[in-house]
Amino acid sequence: GLVTDSGVFFIGATMDRLRSPGGCPWDAEQTHASLAPYLVEEAHEVVHAISTGDRAHLAEELGDVLLQVVFHSRVAEEAGEGAFDIDTVAGLLVDKLVRRHPHVFADGEASTPAEVEAAWEVIKAGEKTGTGGGVYADDLLHGIPASLPGRRSP
């Protein structure tokens, strides 16, 4: 098939072809809003695949989630002003991982999973309040999707 050892490279190239003139008319007309339900659906399918223990199915469903990330990134890239692309998304992820793992990338201390989790929560809280270098000071519900169903008591 088209994907070889550089499968990640070919994801972008394939999306370029789908969204470009002469590509797929359905893909070309998609927006963040029109794609949102598919992202939710694919996330649920990943959870289902995990529950079945079927690794091949899980790999397929993770690919579908990755497609959504690439698709949204391409839509944003085409938007122009304030746009971002898949490299921006990847860079923000790396920055977040490094920031939230000071015990690996800096002089933080955490030697057990519980200590890592406690430190992670402190760092996330700092990001959300604007004290940890994050951008969420004015958004109290940052990270809580409006589409998330209410949690029921057990």
Side-chain angles (χ1 to χ4, degrees), residues 26 30 32-50 57-58 60-69 72 147-149:
W26 185 89
Q30 298 310 301
H32 292 299
S34 69
L35 291 170
Y38 299 106
L39 179 57
V40 172
E41 176 184 341
E42 297 303 347
H44 284 281
E45 290 178 3
V46 165
V47 172
H48 175 74
I50 290 169
H57 186 211
L58 177 57
E60 178 185 347
E61 297 302 340
L62 287 171
D64 291 344
V65 170
L66 181 57
L67 167 61
Q68 292 301 309
V69 173
H72 280 278
S147 62
L148 186 68

Side-chain angles (χ1 to χ4, degrees), residues 8-23:
V8 173
F9 167 79
F10 285 108
I11 295 169
T14 302
M15 182 54 62
D16 288 345
R17 176 105 187 255
L18 291 170
R19 293 278 295 186
S20 296

Side-chain angles (χ1 to χ4, degrees), residues 31-142:
T31 65
H32 292 299
S34 69
L35 291 170
Y38 299 106
L39 179 57
V40 172
E41 176 184 341
E42 297 303 347
H44 284 281
E45 290 178 3
V46 165
V47 172
H48 175 74
I50 290 169
S51 72
T52 68
D54 183 339
R55 289 178 178 251
H57 186 211
L58 177 57
E60 178 185 347
E61 297 302 340
L62 287 171
D64 291 344
V65 170
L66 181 57
L67 167 61
Q68 292 301 309
V69 173
V70 171
F71 213 147
H72 280 278
S73 297
R74 177 61 190 251
V75 168
E77 182 179 0
E78 294 170 1
E81 189 176 324
F84 58 87
D85 60 15
I86 192 66
D87 289 329
T88 306
V89 172
L92 290 169
L93 173 59
V94 170
D95 290 348
K96 182 185 290 186
L97 290 172
V98 170
R99 187 174 60 249
R100 291 187 180 176
H101 291 85
H103 57 286
V104 175
F105 299 103
D107 59 0
E109 292 184 27
S111 58
T112 68
E115 290 174 349
V116 170
E117 191 171 339
W120 181 282
E121 292 302 324
V122 169
I123 293 165
K124 270 182 68 174
E127 291 170 351
K128 290 181 181 183
T129 62
T131 61
V135 295
Y136 313 126
D138 297 326
D139 184 1
L140 296 177
L141 296 178
H142 176 78

